[in-house]
Amino acid sequence: MSDGVPRGLQVKRARGLSRTVRYQNRRRLLMMAEGSKADSRADRGGMAGNFDLNQPLVGAGLESPADEEGVHVSFSQLIAEQCQDGEDLDGFELQQLDEESRDYVTELGSGFEYSGRGLNDMEMDSDGRQTDPLVSVPWSSATMKILSSMPSRTIGRSRGAILSQYYNKTLQLRRRSQSRPSIRDFSRSSRPSIRGYGMEVDVTDGPESEIKKRERLVNNLQNLSVGDRMKMLRGMPLSVAEKKNLRRLTLQKDKSPTSSSKIPCCSQLKYYIIIAVRHSWYSWLSFLHSLQLWQFLLKRVGGRFGTGVLSYFLFLKTLLFFNIFLFLVTFLFLVLPQAMHPPELPEGGRDFTGLELISGAGLFTDTLMYYGYYSNFTLQRSCAGEHNRSASSDPDCLSKRFSYNMSLAYFFTIGMSFFITCIILVYSMSKSFGRSFRIDKSYSILAMKVFSSWDFKVIKQTSVELMSENNCTQLKELLAEVVQKKEKNSPCQALWRLMVHGLAWAICIGATAGCVISVYFFSEYMHKDLQRTSRQANANPLLKEASLLALPALVSLLNLLLPGLFNLAAWMEEYHSPSVRTYVALGRNLMLKVSVLAVLCYHWLGRVAAKPNDINLVCWETFVGQELYRFLIMDFIFTLLNALFGELLWRLFSQRVLRRGRKPAFDIARNVLDLIYAQTLAWIGVLFSPLLPAVQIFKLLLLFYVKVSSVMMNCQAPRRPYRVSQMTTIFITLLCFPSFLGASVCVTYTMWSIPPSTSCGPFRNLGTMFQAGKRWVQELEKNNPDLSVVARVHAYLVENPFFLFVGAGIFLIVIYFYSQVVDGQRKVIALLQEHIEKEGVDKKYLITQLQSVHERKKRIPRRLRSQDSGC
Amino acid sequence: MGNKQTTFTEEQLEAYQDCTYFTRKEILRLHGRFRELAPHLVPLDYTNNPDIRVPLSLIVTMPELKENPFRERIVETFSEDGQGNLSFNDFVDMFSALCEASPRELKTIYAFKIYDFNRDSFICKEDLEKTLNRLTKGELTAEEVALVCDKAIEEADLDGDSKLSFADFENMISKAPDFLSNFHIRI
């Protein structure tokens, strides 16, 4: 720390200032100095006695934004004050000073590097000791005072500084709540200049000023709304005792006017009501908090495996909430009304065989599980006896108050639940994007690594060791990258790499294509098989049911095996960068799942739904619902098997046979993609089987416990670094984009253009499901002609594709604007960064100037003394 | 509820809820944890705000902190006296700043304080060296540590003074996406 020279050299090397900046500054310095010369020349006549640097600074500040002026002015004022009040300054001394300012110019012009280094030395010892041997004169107390009051030194350090900082914040908040901020206000507050933190940071931090500050802060806090006040209090970097004190003061002042003066009874009532509301709000909050699932288990997982593995479980939890929402909606609006009015069923008398739990057929067929069970009548409570007669035909039941149009409810429930899910998804996606992808590009990778890579959650000793090991290797890799730049591969090597990549991709794409083709032909074969057996009257129903399980089993098996192949291909490729490796794995798995799902959708909607009579189906929707149920259950079974045999046996194998000391790592990306796949199935299935979300909830709950125990037993934390927030964003995006969008396209297509079964379900007798809404509107218009506007609006908005296009167009335009705004912000950030750099240089210059003035002051008396002795 | 001794008055609990990111239940749980550390020191009854401090050596035995290489620094940062003795207020303060709900700004301030080993309001080379040694359990060679320090400071230093002021640190941390999720202790 104390060696001045090498440090200074190193600063010279490492400062990273571009040559132009340096040049500009030098030019600015010269201009300033010349200005001061001219100024002092002008002053010499009048002898104002004030060493004013103002004007030249303004003149020199042409290229710097206007905001800087304030800073410069205040600095020069400080300098002037020092000149005035330090010692007795008379005219003679000032004249001396003016004369000296000539060599001062040359010194500054030539020695900027010197001054910069001087500053660095000085800053090293902010407590006032001067250890640099080159600068013999210690920094003056005034310089030290100013330095110590610089915002970069005071922020978050002393209590007074924090108080005044928060005082400014409360002021800003108040101002903002009073009026929308103008652009000028905004630009100033977002400026990283000293002004941003306010010049209120007092030079003297005495106890009186602190009390004053606290009073002002309390006053401000009091004027804020309760929510804002709480937010402000919580966010203050002060100790709880201090905060409690502030809160007490604020509340006291709040109360004092009410208690001292005669208050009307209503305001007292208001006061009590406010207290009661607050109280209930707190209890509601703590109730909500107690609802948080799996706190303890999540903490254990996080403590053992770190944030990466934890993100998988959090994602699972998110999916669970989506499904709970979907289930609540369908249960309330579809299942419950239908359950209260069960339709008359033909006496089939099927027995429970146990196979239903997997196949979803048999006994489950005619239950609330599936679409076919739901009736198309208007359910009416007022005439429950005749609920199976349509209301319009019955004159007694014309009281429409309790009527419940099932087909309409079905249509709107599914539509609205998809719409709300979409909004939630887009919202969480945007939030996640905001959190993980910062607008400006980061240059300080190494520093970020050092300061933000330690996962404070991890509490298990072996994981901690693993983490420090990881950190070590990552730092070494980063260091190697930084030090030796990018080494060029020889063309031969590059060609080799290209070939390996090409081969790997060919294998993966080929395997995926093979899968897709096999699923396609197998589904066709099974379909034909079904046609054949459906014609035979005496076929064993159990056997028929069991044969339906073949396709889900095949698909789940492929889903289980192919990722292993992809991993093998990735191992062959030897990716250097772990993030590229993760992305490639994600892309390949996604390709597989999307294409398989596409084939399956074609199978259901194109084969089964188009010709339901081929396989003797009464209700093809129920059949598709059963298929989806089968797929979900089969996927779950295979996941369980994977956890049991895959992970457990692999662990035993690698530990016992291969004698490897460590357990296999948990593959987060693949597991998350499995979850997304299952969720897509659930979303597609809601239309055909309103209770499918319940199945998915059950499945997720079980899966959570199975996965937690499997991870705890068989896995260790992933060795590769894992960018959690970025990956979470990608997963949410994947959930939104191919998964949810695909599911909603499927559902919309079914509703719009596939004719529903004629003898079952809420949409029988309709051309498409979509006509339910249309018919309702028409009926509405017939019954009360006043509402024809609604019908017209419906006809124009919903049935006309033009508005769909307009909506999509507006959406795209909004996205475009947002991207432009982000681009603009990026540019502004680049400008501001340059600004900071320059301001740092300015700061240095001003401080050296301050110091030189001080030095001169010391020299003058000495010279005077020598002149005196000469005389 | 009747025969149970009250730990905090309603007013105290509300004050804690207003000033920290915890709910009343969590405050009570935190008190339980605090008491667990030194049952003979910490009373059950906190209604009269007893001034009791638990020394650092006891605090760092908590499982949440036990394996953390920065445990002493964390505790010292949040203790009022700077020696690492925590009163219950400080204890709550510590976990409030480290909890999930606390904002980036607050976390950044405390992270800066934690990494500022010599408490000179700057993260200088020495601080960085100490941080690095704790991060890697001293497995990097001295040259590597020095190199990482130089490079990291060079990258993050905006005003060219070869050490990181709070402004530099804040700017750098604002670009680190994982900082928020990592600077978080579940209690």
Side-chain angles (χ1 to χ4, degrees):
Chain A
M1 277 294 280
S2 57
D3 52 339
V5 182
R7 202 181 166 80
L9 285 173
Q10 173 212 330
V11 170
K12 239 188 244 178
R13 180 163 40 84
R15 193 173 300 128
L17 285 174
S18 65
R19 187 168 287 178
T20 50
V21 173
R22 210 170 290 173
Y23 169 71
Q24 275 178 358
N25 273 295
R26 200 167 290 179
R27 209 183 47 178
R28 201 186 292 175
L29 287 177
L30 282 170
M31 280 172 75
M32 283 165 102
E34 265 168 15
S36 75
K37 238 196 299 179
D39 200 36
S40 51
R41 245 181 262 128
D43 268 354
R44 209 176 294 176
M47 197 49 60
N50 199 346
F51 186 73
D52 193 8
L53 275 167
N54 256 346
Q55 286 155 4
L57 273 168
V58 176
L62 275 178
E63 57 213 317
S64 66
D67 223 7
E68 243 170 299
E69 268 173 38
V71 180
H72 290 183
V73 169
S74 54
F75 263 104
S76 53
Q77 271 167 359
L78 275 169
I79 293 169
E81 273 170 28
Q82 283 309 307
C83 291
Q84 271 184 333
D85 58 26
E87 293 157 62
D88 270 347
L89 270 183
D90 50 30
F92 179 65
E93 274 175 2
L94 256 179
Q95 264 178 352
Q96 289 275 333
L97 216 142
D98 288 337
E99 273 166 21
E100 274 168 14
S101 69
R102 256 158 240 176
D103 39 338
Y104 169 56
V105 171
T106 50
E107 183 196 313
L108 276 175
S110 62
F112 185 70
E113 290 299 339
Y114 165 77
S115 60
R117 200 200 58 210
L119 176 81
N120 267 297
D121 296 330
M122 177 265 306
E123 282 188 349
M124 267 189 319
D125 321 78
S126 50
D127 51 355
R129 274 176 293 114
Q130 192 61 38
T131 47
D132 190 84
L134 289 176
V135 184
S136 53
V137 193
W139 293 99
S140 68
S141 62
T143 316
M144 290 324 302
K145 230 184 203 173
I146 291 166
L147 275 178
S148 64
S149 72
M150 288 249 196
S152 61
R153 273 144 229 262
T154 48
I155 293 166
R157 190 182 58 177
S158 73
R159 190 186 293 166
I162 294 171
L163 285 178
S164 65
Q165 191 194 340
Y166 272 83
Y167 167 71
N168 289 338
K169 270 195 184 169
T170 47
L171 263 189
Q172 275 174 14
L173 209 69
R174 270 175 66 189
R175 243 181 263 145
R176 208 174 301 157
S177 61
Q178 276 159 14
S179 63
R180 288 184 63 79
S182 66
I183 292 170
R184 200 177 150 66
D185 277 352
F186 182 70
S187 69
R188 183 175 291 172
S189 63
S190 64
R191 257 312 186 14
S193 70
I194 297 169
R195 172 86 64 93
Y197 290 104
M199 299 304 289
E200 274 103 321
V201 184
D202 286 2
V203 180
T204 48
D205 258 359
E208 316 91 41
S209 74
E210 196 182 307
I211 292 170
K212 222 187 283 165
K213 274 177 202 158
R214 179 175 298 139
E215 253 170 40
R216 289 194 312 203
L217 180 63
V218 165
N219 271 335
N220 267 337
L221 277 177
Q222 215 186 311
N223 291 325
L224 291 176
S225 70
V226 179
D228 278 343
R229 191 192 301 162
M230 219 160 75
K231 211 168 145 193
M232 195 58 84
L233 268 178
R234 285 176 171 177
M236 271 184 211
L238 293 170
S239 71
V240 170
E242 192 72 28
K243 283 195 235 178
K244 271 159 94 177
N245 198 15
L246 278 176
R247 178 183 174 272
R248 195 176 45 83
L249 286 174
T250 314
L251 286 181
Q252 252 176 16
K253 286 207 174 174
D254 252 1
K255 271 179 207 165
S256 56
T258 49
S259 58
S260 63
S261 61
K262 270 280 181 193
I263 34 154
C265 140
C266 62
S267 72
Q268 202 170 8
L269 195 70
K270 202 175 94 184
Y271 186 68
Y272 284 125
I273 289 175
I274 288 173
I275 288 182
V277 166
R278 234 164 80 122
H279 216 83
S280 54
W281 171 246
Y282 277 139
S283 45
W284 171 242
L285 271 186
S286 55
F287 169 71
L288 274 189
H289 203 80
S290 65
L291 277 188
Q292 283 192 340
L293 267 176
W294 303 321
Q295 277 289 16
F296 175 67
L297 276 177
L298 285 178
K299 186 185 165 185
R300 265 186 72 187
V301 169
R304 201 149 155 181
F305 298 99
T307 314
V309 176
L310 189 66
S311 73
Y312 165 80
F313 290 99
L314 290 178
F315 189 74
L316 201 156
K317 212 170 118 178
T318 318
L319 285 186
L320 188 73
F321 284 125
F322 272 115
N323 283 298
I324 287 176
F325 161 73
L326 212 56
F327 169 70
L328 281 181
V329 170
T330 54
F331 185 77
L332 279 181
F333 294 106
L334 296 181
V335 179
L336 210 61
Q338 186 65 46
M340 288 198 291
H341 304 281
E344 290 154 20
L345 288 174
E347 283 301 311
R350 289 182 197 179
D351 300 325
F352 181 75
T353 53
L355 197 63
E356 285 95 342
L357 288 178
I358 301 176
S359 73
L363 188 69
F364 284 180
T365 312
D366 288 320
T367 55
L368 285 166
M369 275 288 290
Y370 300 112
Y371 169 92
Y373 183 79
Y374 293 80
S375 53
N376 66 337
F377 307 123
T378 304
L379 308 168
Q380 291 210 339
R381 196 176 279 178
S382 57
C383 39
E386 300 103 310
H387 66 265
N388 48 0
R389 293 278 163 271
S390 181
S392 52
S393 64
D394 196 338
D396 292 338
C397 297
L398 270 179
S399 57
K400 289 253 171 191
R401 268 186 298 176
F402 295 112
S403 67
Y404 197 84
N405 189 339
M406 200 62 206
S407 48
L408 202 65
Y410 209 99
F411 181 75
F412 277 117
T413 305
I414 301 290
M416 285 317 284
S417 59
F418 265 77
F419 185 66
I420 294 171
T421 310
C422 177
I423 288 176
I424 298 173
L425 262 179
V426 169
Y427 172 73
S428 50
M429 199 168 87
S430 68
K431 225 172 97 181
S432 175
F433 257 105
R435 218 177 301 141
S436 66
F437 290 97
R438 295 271 132 192
I439 294 167
D440 49 345
K441 271 182 272 156
S442 56
Y443 299 104
S444 42
I445 313 154
L446 209 60
M448 264 166 18
K449 183 91 228 150
V450 173
F451 288 118
S452 73
S453 65
W454 189 265
D455 198 340
F456 281 67
K457 275 196 279 300
V458 177
I459 51 178
K460 193 169 178 271
Q461 198 189 355
T462 49
S463 296
V464 167
E465 267 160 25
L466 200 71
M467 196 153 72
S468 55
E469 202 178 299
N470 277 350
N471 278 328
C472 196
T473 46
Q474 283 168 37
L475 279 175
K476 272 182 187 163
E477 280 168 16
L478 274 178
L479 207 58
E481 258 175 53
V482 170
V483 170
Q484 46 179 270
K485 297 299 163 199
K486 277 188 178 168
E487 52 181 64
K488 275 278 173 196
N489 280 343
S490 65
C492 192
Q493 259 178 325
L495 194 71
W496 169 246
R497 288 204 68 77
L498 207 66
M499 268 174 61
V500 170
H501 284 315
L503 186 70
W505 273 102
I507 289 173
C508 294
I509 290 175
T512 308
C515 271
V516 168
I517 289 167
S518 66
V519 169
Y520 179 83
F521 282 108
F522 190 71
S523 63
E524 196 173 11
Y525 168 75
M526 290 311 293
H527 195 66
K528 284 203 175 120
D529 191 53
L530 205 63
Q531 283 173 13
R532 208 175 51 245
T533 49
S534 64
R535 264 180 243 123
Q536 297 166 353
N538 55 351
N540 185 357
L542 268 184
L543 202 68
K544 193 179 142 193
E545 236 176 272
S547 74
L548 287 173
L549 290 175
L551 184 62
L554 174 79
V555 171
S556 299
L557 191 69
L558 289 177
N559 270 337
L560 189 67
L561 293 183
L562 275 213
L565 183 75
F566 295 158
N567 275 350
L568 218 63
W571 173 74
M572 186 179 80
E573 282 172 296
E574 289 178 340
Y575 282 107
H576 284 307
S577 149
S579 62
V580 172
R581 193 188 165 108
T582 319
Y583 287 133
V584 166
L586 260 181
R588 285 171 185 166
N589 280 311
L590 196 70
M591 180 175 71
L592 171 73
K593 295 209 155 115
V594 167
S595 45
V596 165
L597 272 176
V599 172
L600 287 176
C601 279
Y602 165 75
H603 170 66
W604 293 321
L605 302 182
R607 279 200 203 118
V608 179
K611 291 170 204 150
N613 292 331
D614 279 7
I615 48 175
N616 219 356
L617 274 183
V618 184
C619 199
W620 65 264
E621 288 93 344
T622 300
F623 180 77
V624 174
Q626 285 170 350
E627 285 269 298
L628 282 159
Y629 177 87
R630 280 192 282 271
F631 271 87
L632 264 188
I633 294 293
M634 215 30 113
D635 182 61
F636 178 53
I637 290 173
F638 271 81
T639 315
L640 285 190
L641 287 180
N642 183 29
L644 195 67
F645 289 107
E647 287 167 7
L648 182 69
L649 289 186
W650 175 248
R651 197 250 307 186
L652 291 178
F653 177 74
S654 71
Q655 282 191 330
R656 300 271 158 79
V657 182
L658 298 181
R659 302 254 166 231
R660 270 194 231 162
R662 55 193 174 80
K663 299 170 177 177
F666 184 72
D667 192 346
I668 304 160
R670 186 188 148 186
N671 279 296
V672 170
L673 273 182
D674 282 344
L675 284 183
I676 291 178
Y677 165 76
Q679 189 56 44
T680 316
L681 288 178
W683 271 327
I684 295 174
V686 179
L687 178 64
F688 307 108
S689 164
L691 277 180
L692 206 61
V695 177
Q696 175 78 349
I697 290 172
F698 179 69
K699 186 189 138 177
L700 287 176
L701 283 175
L702 263 181
L703 193 67
F704 181 85
Y705 289 105
V706 169
K707 277 286 172 191
V708 164
S709 45
S710 159
V711 157
M712 288 283 186
M713 256 170 55
N714 304 326
C715 296
Q716 69 169 18
R719 292 185 70 78
R720 273 177 266 140
Y722 188 79
R723 289 184 172 174
V724 177
S725 55
Q726 211 163 321
M727 288 317 275
T728 316
T729 313
I730 286 170
F731 292 145
I732 291 264
T733 315
L734 288 182
L735 189 68
C736 188
F737 169 56
S739 162
F740 181 74
L741 199 74
S744 40
V745 162
C746 262
V747 167
T748 323
Y749 174 73
T750 314
M751 283 185 158
W752 240 261
S753 52
I754 297 183
S757 313
T758 49
S759 55
C760 68
F763 299 108
R764 63 192 97 165
N765 309 325
L766 290 177
T768 56
M769 297 182 187
F770 173 62
Q771 279 178 350
K774 203 173 169 183
R775 184 167 289 188
W776 175 68
V777 170
Q778 278 168 358
E779 224 160 81
L780 205 71
E781 199 183 1
K782 216 168 29 184
N783 287 346
N784 23 346
D786 302 342
L787 289 175
S788 61
V789 185
V790 178
R792 227 173 295 147
V793 166
H794 183 264
Y796 279 119
L797 284 186
V798 183
E799 287 161 38
N800 203 337
F802 175 70
F803 279 96
L804 200 68
F805 286 123
V806 169
I810 290 174
F811 189 62
L812 284 180
I813 288 172
V814 168
I815 289 177
Y816 173 74
F817 276 130
Y818 265 97
S819 71
Q820 285 299 305
V821 165
V822 167
D823 207 40
Q825 281 172 341
R826 205 170 279 151
K827 277 178 191 154
V828 168
I829 285 172
L831 277 179
L832 287 177
Q833 249 158 10
E834 203 182 330
H835 183 76
I836 292 173
E837 233 167 60
K838 283 181 182 167
E839 238 171 60
V841 177
D842 286 357
K843 189 177 87 178
K844 264 176 231 160
Y845 164 69
L846 288 164
I847 291 167
T848 28
Q849 207 184 31
L850 186 75
Q851 181 59 24
S852 62
V853 166
H854 180 78
E855 265 174 48
R856 207 160 305 118
K857 261 190 299 185
K858 289 220 163 153
R859 229 182 293 153
I860 290 162
R862 226 179 291 147
R863 200 179 291 176
L864 276 177
R865 237 173 284 132
S866 65
Q867 277 176 359
D868 283 346
S869 63
C871 284
Chain B
M1 281 295 271
N3 54 357
K4 205 173 169 187
Q5 201 186 347
T6 47
T7 310
F8 295 106
T9 60
E10 278 302 308
E11 210 181 321
Q12 277 177 315
L13 280 175
E14 257 177 38
Y16 276 120
Q17 286 183 91
D18 271 354
C19 298
T20 65
Y21 294 96
F22 291 125
T23 60
R24 93 185 22 232
K25 248 187 196 170
E26 286 169 313
I27 296 284
L28 289 172
R29 201 171 68 213
L30 274 174
H31 177 262
R33 295 295 304 275
F34 191 59
R35 194 153 179 268
E36 230 171 61
L37 293 172
H40 53 284
L41 261 177
V42 183
L44 189 62
D45 181 22
Y46 247 78
T47 45
N48 51 355
N49 290 320
D51 183 35
I52 285 153
R53 286 162 201 276
V54 174
L56 182 134
S57 52
L58 285 176
I59 299 275
V60 293
T61 55
M62 287 183 77
E64 280 84 358
L65 294 173
K66 212 166 113 196
E67 296 298 333
N68 197 318
F70 301 102
R71 55 186 174 266
E72 278 98 5
R73 271 308 297 159
I74 297 175
V75 177
E76 273 167 22
T77 305
F78 285 95
S79 76
E80 189 88 325
D81 58 1
Q83 302 297 312
N85 302 319
L86 290 193
S87 67
F88 180 63
N89 277 339
D90 299 336
F91 188 75
V92 173
D93 206 19
M94 174 165 80
F95 286 108
S96 171
L98 285 164
C99 80
E100 198 165 13
S102 95
R104 180 179 283 271
E105 202 182 4
L106 193 65
K107 286 195 174 187
T108 313
I109 288 172
Y110 282 116
F112 182 77
K113 286 187 176 176
I114 287 172
Y115 292 129
D116 179 18
F117 282 83
N118 53 11
R119 299 179 211 177
D120 62 348
S121 303
F122 283 100
I123 293 181
C124 54
K125 235 176 166 179
E126 283 175 6
D127 296 328
L128 247 176
E129 270 168 23
K130 281 183 188 158
T131 309
L132 269 176
N133 282 332
R134 274 159 211 243
L135 268 183
T136 58
K137 299 244 158 118
E139 278 175 49
L140 288 180
T141 62
E143 290 147 38
E144 280 169 331
V145 168
L147 207 54
V148 170
C149 290
D150 282 350
K151 291 286 170 192
I153 284 181
E154 188 182 319
E155 278 171 358
D157 189 17
L158 286 174
D159 49 7
D161 58 0
S162 305
K163 53 189 173 180
L164 304 183
S165 65
F166 178 71
D168 297 331
F169 185 76
E170 195 180 22
N171 176 55
M172 183 265 299
I173 278 294
S174 72
K175 293 176 206 158
D178 287 341
F179 169 71
L180 268 192
S181 58
N182 278 344
F183 197 71
H184 165 207
I185 294 181
R186 274 172 193 269
I187 182 78

